């Protein structure tokens, strides 16, 4: 959604999941109640997302540079490395978040079984997706964002302020990324590779599904996750990496215009 | 002179490896695309050369096989990614750069094998000669029609295609050259350090290569040479404050992208022009 609206892809976006988890763990360790800690984590992710937009994408919207269209890609890749190096694998933060979240659920529902946690996580993700769809379809912000994705000049003529629409979309998308990180750490299992492992899967899903086609990226993400779970069952070291590489390269040949190109928010401009 | 060369052999070899990695990223950037798959090809070159050495191949044969293997795999990847758009190309190279080193670097070196320096006499001198030969070959390619076509595709792909330039084929050629250079860097790293692998810091290596190309300047092939020197000094200075090389590289890359997109060499050019 963010790439479709801004017209430029932020490679560092997946690292916001790590920011959310780390910030919520720090809040828990400072003695804040779990609900407040999770809210702080999500808000920190949104702030970090806004900051990455200002640092890595906004300068290239203002002026064209010698790096051309490659500028935002290079700058956001540098930010991904900076965030990954600063956060580490965030494994201990994920453990703190998980303990706090499960403790809070146990206090609310005394007979809660930890085996239900993934199902609750799935439910939260589904609700979040429905809310995102409603936001995009039924609100003025969503209409402005979709108008901007279709064409900037027409959107300006219709009274949409591009910078406001991009900023609001960035904040909503960053909130989603941070919340996804908290759900992953709290209710599933934080990956051993930390932020970079999340980034690899996310970028592979976007490369296959389309950087400006949210539904295509979502479907590709689910398909890749299923392939990774199957590959993990083989117990071969690094086997879960193979489906990502194979799928990205094969889909580049078989589907050069992305999955579900017809419903992408931004018109396709293949380079042939 | 020979005493100095012996004392600084490690630094010279690391500088050559960095320069080859930077050139690998730069040649793809010169064709208008961003590739972070450099560590993948370096890892492929390293793994193939390591396997050949284990099979008792002569050292030079192992080196050649490693470079050819990396070049061939980058050619296949170039064919697969030739027709996708800019963003998908970069995302695919990030995924390949992060996953392939972990997949190919699983075979351990033989027991008791601590360094291959003994296999190639005078390793540092050999490394310098090979690096200079690579630079000369690259300069000759860039002076040819294909070199001019690289710049045309990078500046305006649609106009270049109207003039009859085959942009996907050129991108494939750039990726193949870059892959072979990265493979050579991987082989040299193996011969120098014996157990060095790219998997634990794959994205850091990719950003390091890209930083060399961008900080030095993406406008001409002197950029990576300048970038190697700048990043070498900056990383050495950063290590005094316990900053990791990845943080120094990423910070310099970000600053260069935003404040000096033409790189240090463009600054030197503008200063010379002002005189």
């Amino acid at each position: 959604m963010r790439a479709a609206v801004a017209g430029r892809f932020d490679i560092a976006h997946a690292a916001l999941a790590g920011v959310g988890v780390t910030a919520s763990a720090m809040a828990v360790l400072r003695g804040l109640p779990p609900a407040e800690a999770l809210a702080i984590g999500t808000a920190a992710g949104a702030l970090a997302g806004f900051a990455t937009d200002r640092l890595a994408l906004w300068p290239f919207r203002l002026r064209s540079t010698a790096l051309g269209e490659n500028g935002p890609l290079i700058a956001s890749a540098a930010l991904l490395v900076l965030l990954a190096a600063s956060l580490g694998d965030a494994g201990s933060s994920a453990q703190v978040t998980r303990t706090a979240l499960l403790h809070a659920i146990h206090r609310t529902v005394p007979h809660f079984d930890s085996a239900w946690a993934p199902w609750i996580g799935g439910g939260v993700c589904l609700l979040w997706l429905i809310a995102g769809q409603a936001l995009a379809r039924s609100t003025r912000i969503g209409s402005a964002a979709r108008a901007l994705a279709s064409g900037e000049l027409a959107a300006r003529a219709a009274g949409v302020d591009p910078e406001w629409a991009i900023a609001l979309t960035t904040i909503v998308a960053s909130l989603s990324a941070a919340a996804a990180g908290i759900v992953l750490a709290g209710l599933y299992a934080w990956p051993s590779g930390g932020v970079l492992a999340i980034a690899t899967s996310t970028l592979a899903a976007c490369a296959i599904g389309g950087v400006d086609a949210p539904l295509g990226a979502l479907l590709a993400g689910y398909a890749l996750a299923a392939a990774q779970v199957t590959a993990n069952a083989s117990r071969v070291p690094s086997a879960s990496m193979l489906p990502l590489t194979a799928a990205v390269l094969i889909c580049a040949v078989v589907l050069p215009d992305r999955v579900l190109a017809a419903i992408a928010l931004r018109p396709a401009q293949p380079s042939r | 002179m020979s005493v100095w060369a012996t004392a600084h052999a490690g630094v010279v070899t690391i500088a050559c490896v960095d320069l080859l990695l930077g050139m690998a990223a730069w040649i793809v950037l010169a064709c208008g695309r961003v590739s972070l798959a450099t560590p993948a090809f370096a890892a492929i070159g390293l793994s193939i050369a390591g396997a050949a050495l284990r099979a008792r191949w002569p050292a030079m044969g192992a080196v050649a096989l490693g470079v050819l293997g990396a070049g061939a795999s980058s050619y296949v990847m170039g064919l697969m990614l030739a027709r996708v758009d800019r963003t998908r190309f970069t995302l695919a190279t990030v995924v390949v750069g992060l996953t392939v080193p972990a997949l190919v670097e699983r075979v351990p070196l033989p027991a008791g094998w601590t360094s291959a320096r003994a296999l190639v006499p005078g390793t540092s001198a050999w490394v310098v000669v090979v690096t200079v030969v690579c630079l000369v070959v690259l300069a000759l390619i860039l002076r040819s029609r294909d070199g001019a076509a690289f710049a045309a595709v990078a500046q305006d792909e649609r106009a270049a295609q109207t003039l009859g330039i085959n942009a996907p084929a050129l991108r494939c050629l750039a990726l193949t050259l870059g892959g072979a250079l990265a493979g050579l860097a991987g082989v040299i790293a193996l011969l120098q350090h014996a157990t060095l692998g790219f998997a634990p810091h794959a994205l850091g290596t990719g950003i390091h290569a890209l930083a060399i190309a961008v900080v030095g300047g993406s406008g001409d092939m002197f950029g990576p040479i300048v970038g190697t020197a700048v990043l070498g000094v900056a990383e050495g200075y950063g290590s005094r404050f316990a900053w990791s090389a990845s943080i120094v590289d990423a910070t310099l890359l970000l600053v260069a992208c935003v404040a000096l997109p033409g790189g240090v060499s463009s600054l030197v050019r503008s200063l010379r022009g002002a005189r």
Side-chain angles (χ1 to χ4, degrees):
Chain A
M1 186 77 190
R2 204 179 148 191
V5 173
R8 287 164 176 86
F9 189 80
D10 179 8
I11 293 178
H13 187 73
L16 301 177
V19 173
V21 170
T22 307
S24 59
M26 285 167 74
V28 167
L29 292 174
R30 282 182 175 266
L32 287 174
E36 280 180 37
L38 299 184
I40 286 173
T42 318
L47 272 177
F50 187 71
T52 59
D53 178 73
R54 293 290 112 175
L55 275 172
L57 306 186
W58 179 64
F60 300 97
R61 287 201 294 272
L62 284 183
R63 62 192 172 103
S64 61
T65 68
L67 294 169
E69 298 282 310
N70 292 325
L73 293 170
I74 298 172
S76 60
L79 266 180
L80 172 64
V81 171
L82 269 180
L83 284 172
S86 310
L87 298 171
D89 71 352
S92 51
S93 299
Q95 191 56 46
V96 170
T97 305
R98 182 178 174 81
T99 309
L101 191 61
L102 290 180
H103 185 65
I105 296 174
H106 270 296
R107 268 197 308 192
T108 316
V109 186
H111 301 296
F112 176 75
D113 184 351
S114 298
W116 301 346
W119 294 101
I120 294 175
V124 170
C125 287
L126 197 63
L127 284 175
W128 197 276
L129 285 172
I130 292 168
Q133 180 74 359
L135 185 79
R137 295 281 161 194
S138 317
T139 62
R140 285 178 64 87
I141 302 169
S143 301
R146 285 188 295 122
L148 195 59
S150 302
E152 188 177 334
L153 283 178
R156 275 182 193 274
V160 174
D161 180 350
E163 277 306 320
W164 262 109
I166 290 171
L168 287 173
T169 313
T170 300
I171 289 171
V172 171
S174 308
L175 277 172
S176 296
I182 291 169
V183 168
L184 188 69
L187 301 172
Y188 291 99
W190 189 249
S192 59
V195 170
L196 286 182
I198 295 173
T200 313
S201 310
T202 316
L203 296 177
C206 289
I208 295 166
V211 291
D212 42 13
L215 190 57
L218 190 73
L219 290 176
Y222 275 111
L224 279 177
Q228 282 192 289
V229 169
T230 311
N232 263 340
S234 70
R235 301 204 178 277
V236 176
S238 311
S240 62
M241 302 278 190
L242 194 59
L244 299 180
T245 317
V248 164
L249 292 177
I250 291 169
C251 283
V253 179
V254 181
L255 300 161
D257 289 339
R258 77 197 100 159
V259 178
L260 301 176
I263 59 162
L265 288 172
R266 197 167 264 267
Q269 289 177 330
S271 48
R272 293 210 164 85
Chain B
M1 183 67 186
S2 64
V3 175
W4 184 92
T6 310
H8 297 86
V11 176
V12 171
T13 311
I14 289 170
C16 288
V17 169
D18 280 357
L19 182 55
L20 288 170
L21 288 173
M23 279 291 177
W26 177 82
I27 188 82
V28 184
L29 199 58
C31 205
R33 290 285 192 266
V34 179
S35 169
L36 283 159
T38 317
F41 301 126
I44 289 171
L46 180 149
S47 303
I48 292 176
L53 287 170
R54 272 192 298 278
R56 306 284 173 207
W57 273 54
M60 283 301 167
V63 171
L65 200 64
V67 174
L68 280 176
S73 52
S74 57
Y75 175 71
V76 172
M77 189 177 127
L79 283 181
M80 294 176 112
L81 297 180
R83 293 186 184 280
V84 297
D85 64 35
R86 187 187 304 273
T87 309
R88 262 183 93 181
F89 183 94
T90 305
L91 295 191
T93 60
V94 174
V95 173
V96 168
L98 278 166
T99 54
V100 168
L103 286 169
V104 301
E105 285 179 2
R106 278 187 285 146
V107 186
L109 290 163
W113 194 77
T114 53
S115 172
R117 279 190 219 185
L119 296 172
V120 187
T123 303
S124 291
W126 168 84
V127 167
V128 172
V129 169
V130 169
T131 306
V132 170
V133 168
C134 285
L135 291 183
V136 171
V137 170
L138 209 56
L140 290 175
I141 291 173
L142 290 171
R143 279 172 179 266
S144 68
R145 279 178 65 88
D146 279 345
F150 276 5
V153 169
Q155 282 175 20
D156 191 336
E157 188 173 324
R158 207 163 283 231
Q161 285 188 316
T162 312
L163 291 170
I165 294 169
N166 186 348
L170 272 182
R171 273 198 293 275
C172 188
L173 173 65
L175 207 60
T176 308
L177 286 171
L181 289 172
L184 180 61
V187 174
I188 292 172
L190 170 78
L191 292 175
Q192 185 68 22
H193 301 289
T195 54
L196 185 78
F198 292 91
H201 43 84
L203 192 62
T205 307
I207 284 292
H208 180 67
L210 201 56
I212 287 171
V214 174
V215 171
S218 54
D220 56 53
M221 70 174 287
F222 290 104
I225 299 171
V226 177
T228 304
V230 172
L231 259 73
V233 171
E235 284 179 9
Y237 193 71
S239 66
R240 289 188 190 178
F241 302 97
W243 297 337
S244 75
S246 290
I247 289 183
V248 174
D249 294 341
T251 308
L252 278 177
L253 181 58
L254 189 60
V255 170
C257 275
V258 175
L260 196 63
V264 176
S265 59
S266 75
L267 198 64
V268 174
R269 270 201 305 273
S270 62
L271 284 175
R272 281 172 60 183
R275 258 186 221 170

